[in-house]
Amino acid sequence: MTGKIDKVGVIGAGQMGSGIAHVAALAGYGVKLYDLSAERIEAGIATISGNMARQVSSGKLEEKVRQEALARIAPATTMEGLADMDLVIEAATEDETVKRKIFAQLCPVLNPEALVATNTSSISITRLAAQTDRPERFIGIHFMNPVPVMKLVELVRGIATEDNTFETARTFVEALGKTITVAEDFPAFIVNRILLPMINEAIYTLYEGVGTVEAIDTAMKLGANHPMGPLQLADFIGLDTCLSIMQVLHEGLADSKYRPCPLLVKYVEAGWLGRKTGRGFYDYRGENPVPTR
Ligand code: CAA
């Protein structure tokens, strides 16, 4: 038996949260988007509107469908605004303290029967669930970036996640038109366990002077048929997120092969976090991206 989901709350209007709201609204769910300020929510809705417009111009969506989907997204400027949701998906910064604080604010106001999910890309679902009042109705639903384009969603159950929660989440994700892969609750699950050490190795390759930014990205694009080079992809994911995933792998698996490259740490310390801040391994402030090393 699966529970019925009609209304979906999304916490975090950044690139992942806005992507999740986008696909949920297109699938017909009523969506409420929460962030710390009305401005951030507005910016998230503007991103969704723009990305849906791209889908209209490439013939993937009718303008009428876009308008209907946009009308299904409402802002929630307080946690209380999410009280009657059937499912709330947290897509805030990849920082355990931030996520814990969010669950501590959300759970007391949320319908006790509602499911809570996290889009964490690496943190233990069991540990996050244990901080809430409903570990049995808590699950990891991990989307890939850009959410409207990427076909995969990882589903991750914590130790206490009930079968009913898992099946309800599976039905929801399938209704979004995504393919599910089930991962066990170990650091960084499947995609990031494999992808992030590859990106970290690309940064070591740069750090050790084996190749330039352009050489490394061209090598992997044309030599391994990756749609983006690893450094371009790191900028796309966000270097802060890349670093925190490597730290979770390093701490969680206690293996030195996961040590974050010092150059990645340096970029994050500089606040050069990739596309979202205008600079990372490339500088995005001009017309075309230019390597920063
Ligand atoms: N919303 C809607 N549509 C979008 C979009 C968005 N945010 N971003 C791109 N698109 C669409 C474009 O409009 C375009 O559509 P058409 O083909 O219909 O014209 C299509 O996607 C391709 O986009 P572009 O032509 O702009 O560029 P591209 O061909 O280089 O593709 C890309 C862009 C899909 C991002 C591609 O480069 C790619 O697949 N990159 C790798 C992405 C990846 O690896 N993601 C996983 C990151 S890891 C992760 O997410 C997990 C984590 O926890 C960190």
Side-chain angles (χ1 to χ4, degrees):
M1 200 194 105
T2 63
K4 185 147 169 48
I5 305 286
D6 291 319
K7 292 177 279 186
V8 180
V10 179
I11 297 182
Q15 59 183 3
M16 296 309 291
S18 62
I20 296 167
H22 176 139
V23 294
L26 273 184
Y29 294 96
V31 178
K32 278 205 173 167
L33 188 57
Y34 171 92
D35 208 314
L36 288 174
S37 69
E39 291 73 29
R40 286 197 202 198
I41 303 172
E42 272 166 34
I45 293 176
T47 301
I48 298 169
S49 173
N51 284 333
M52 284 185 183
R54 285 167 82 165
Q55 293 175 302
V56 172
S57 52
S58 61
K60 293 204 175 84
L61 212 64
E62 283 176 30
E63 178 56 27
K64 183 171 165 282
V65 176
R66 169 173 174 259
Q67 293 300 340
E68 286 165 358
L70 284 172
R72 279 194 283 272
I73 304 174
T77 46
T78 62
M79 283 290 177
E80 285 73 17
L82 300 177
D84 65 340
M85 297 291 106
D86 304 310
L87 164 68
V88 175
I89 306 173
E90 170 277 317
T93 310
E94 192 64 356
D95 177 328
E96 192 161 338
T97 315
V98 172
K99 290 182 190 295
R100 282 186 187 197
K101 208 171 135 196
I102 286 170
F103 296 131
Q105 289 170 350
L106 171 72
C107 289
V109 297
L110 181 64
N111 167 12
E113 295 305 312
L115 303 190
V116 175
T118 172
N119 181 56
T120 179
S121 43
S122 59
I123 301 169
S124 162
I125 303 302
T126 300
R127 200 166 63 233
L128 288 175
Q131 307 300 315
T132 73
D133 58 355
R134 63 194 83 197
E136 62 289 345
R137 284 190 299 288
F138 190 98
I139 190 162
I141 307 183
H142 180 217
F143 291 82
M144 307 296 138
N145 186 21
V147 180
V149 179
M150 303 299 281
K151 297 188 179 80
L152 188 82
V153 171
E154 286 182 305
L155 274 191
V156 191
R157 12 176 8 145
I159 266 184
T161 308
E162 278 175 354
D163 288 347
N164 190 31
T165 302
F166 182 82
E167 289 309 326
T168 304
R170 181 206 292 274
T171 304
F172 166 71
V173 174
E174 283 173 353
L176 305 180
K178 303 291 184 194
T179 299
I180 287 163
T181 194
V182 178
E184 291 299 321
D185 186 20
F186 288 102
F189 320 126
I190 296 174
V191 171
N192 286 333
R193 168 86 178 253
I194 299 169
L195 185 63
L196 263 296
M198 190 272 292
I199 289 175
N200 194 47
E201 198 59 28
I203 303 169
Y204 267 111
T205 310
L206 177 68
Y207 178 64
E208 292 170 8
V210 182
T212 62
V213 169
E214 270 167 336
I216 293 163
D217 276 351
T218 303
M220 294 308 286
K221 272 194 285 192
L222 304 186
N225 256 5
H226 289 192
M228 284 177 169
L231 301 173
Q232 194 189 358
L233 182 56
D235 278 356
F236 182 64
I237 292 170
L239 302 189
D240 51 341
T241 302
C242 291
L243 177 59
S244 60
I245 296 171
M246 287 311 297
Q247 284 164 337
V248 166
L249 281 168
H250 194 212
E251 283 158 24
L253 297 168
D255 188 329
S256 64
K257 75 178 175 182
Y258 297 114
R259 68 206 182 284
C261 179
L263 187 59
L264 173 61
V265 176
K266 203 184 280 295
Y267 269 81
V268 172
E269 284 172 350
W272 292 16
L273 306 182
R275 278 203 203 175
K276 62 185 169 188
T277 57
R279 252 184 305 186
F281 292 108
Y282 294 85
D283 187 335
Y284 299 91
R285 294 170 303 167
E287 205 169 308
N288 294 309
V290 179
T292 51
R293 288 181 82 77

